[in-house]
């Protein structure tokens, strides 16, 4: 199964080199170490993490901990974010593995063909915000300007991710498995609200070596309008 998934991912998820670093598509995978249907999606994340035209983020949730294994990478705020997406979209339930693409498209995270299609569709959308990032020691300099008229405020967020983390699971649905996870998120925080009427200029502290991601997202869990990362 693993070899088959890798082959399908290679077929459908290889990015053309000309797309590198321009208007990346954000993929948020809601996953859990205690979910038996999640490992194929977790494996797919490794292929997605290699692409230059996407920012792939694994958000581990804690609501499956009760079935026998506590996810050591989980953050309760990840489940809150997932529920907020569901509320905004009018969905009555949440699940794993769920992937949210650019804050809008809901996909089962273990379906590479559907993920590839969603990425292509979102890349066709003209960017609404131009975002620039740079480092100055432990500080991240953030600049943004709107490229078209936008209604309502935007939320500027910053997070870090660990490119690879391994878990040896001894209980629950995945007992006996050792799984390596890609781009496990941490330190997710809101920096400020921005109305877009004037250019944004912001400095945020981000000590350490793990990659930094900045997202500009429409308020109330709307679409992600711009994203960038510093590795």
């Amino acid at each position: 199964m693993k070899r088959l998934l890798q082959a399908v991912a290679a077929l459908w998820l290889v990015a053309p080199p000309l797309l590198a670093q321009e208007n990346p598509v954000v993929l948020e995978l809601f996953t859990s170490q205690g979910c038996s249907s999640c490992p194929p999606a977790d494996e797919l994340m490794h292929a997605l993490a290699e692409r230059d035209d996407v920012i792939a983020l694994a958000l581990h949730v804690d609501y499956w901990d009760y079935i026998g294994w506590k996810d050591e990478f989980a953050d309760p705020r990840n489940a809150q974010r997932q529920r907020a997406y569901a509320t905004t979209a009018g969905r009555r339930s949440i699940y794993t593995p769920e992937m949210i693409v650019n804050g809008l498209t809901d996909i089962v995270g273990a379906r590479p063909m559907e993920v590839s299609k969603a990425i292509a569709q979102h890349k066709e959308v003209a960017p609404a915000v131009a975002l620039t990032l740079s480092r100055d020691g432990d500080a991240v300099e953030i600049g943004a300007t709107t490229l078209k008229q936008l209604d309502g405020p935007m939320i500027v967020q910053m997070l870090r991710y660990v490119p690879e983390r391994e878990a040896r699971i001894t209980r629950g649905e995945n007992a006996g498995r050792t799984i390596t996870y890609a781009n496990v998120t941490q330190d997710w925080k809101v920096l400020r609200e921005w109305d877009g009427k004037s250019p944004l200029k912001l400095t945020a502290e981000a000590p350490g070596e793990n990659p930094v991601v900045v997202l500009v997202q429409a308020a109330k869990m709307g679409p992600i309008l711009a994203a960038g990362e510093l590795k």
Side-chain angles (χ1 to χ4, degrees), residues 15 17 19-22 24 48-55 229 231:
L19 298 178
Q21 300 298 332
E22 186 176 346
L48 293 167
E50 294 297 318
R51 292 183 58 155
D52 290 324
D53 61 336
V54 304
I55 298 176
E229 66 179 321
K231 295 183 178 181

Side-chain angles (χ1 to χ4, degrees), residues 26 28 30 55 57 59 77-78 80-82 84-85 100 102-104 129 131-133 140-144 153-161 185-194 200 202-206 211-230:
V26 179
E28 299 176 61
F30 294 91
I55 298 176
L57 304 171
L59 291 82
R77 292 173 295 182
N78 293 341
Q80 292 171 10
R81 182 173 178 85
Q82 187 182 19
Y85 272 133
I100 303 292
N102 267 4
L104 287 174
V129 173
L131 177 67
T132 61
L133 303 177
V140 175
E141 304 292 337
I142 303 167
M154 292 165 278
I155 307 300
V156 183
Q157 304 161 73
M158 186 175 74
L159 62 128
R160 313 297 294 270
Y161 68 79
T185 58
Q186 58 185 29
D187 303 327
W188 199 306
K189 56 188 174 185
V190 172
L191 297 179
R192 61 164 290 181
E193 188 176 282
W194 176 48
L200 173 72
L202 178 64
T203 300
E205 292 297 314
V212 177
V213 174
V214 174
L215 307 177
V216 179
Q217 185 167 16
K220 299 181 181 180
M221 301 306 292
I224 293 174
L225 303 171
E229 66 179 321
L230 296 170

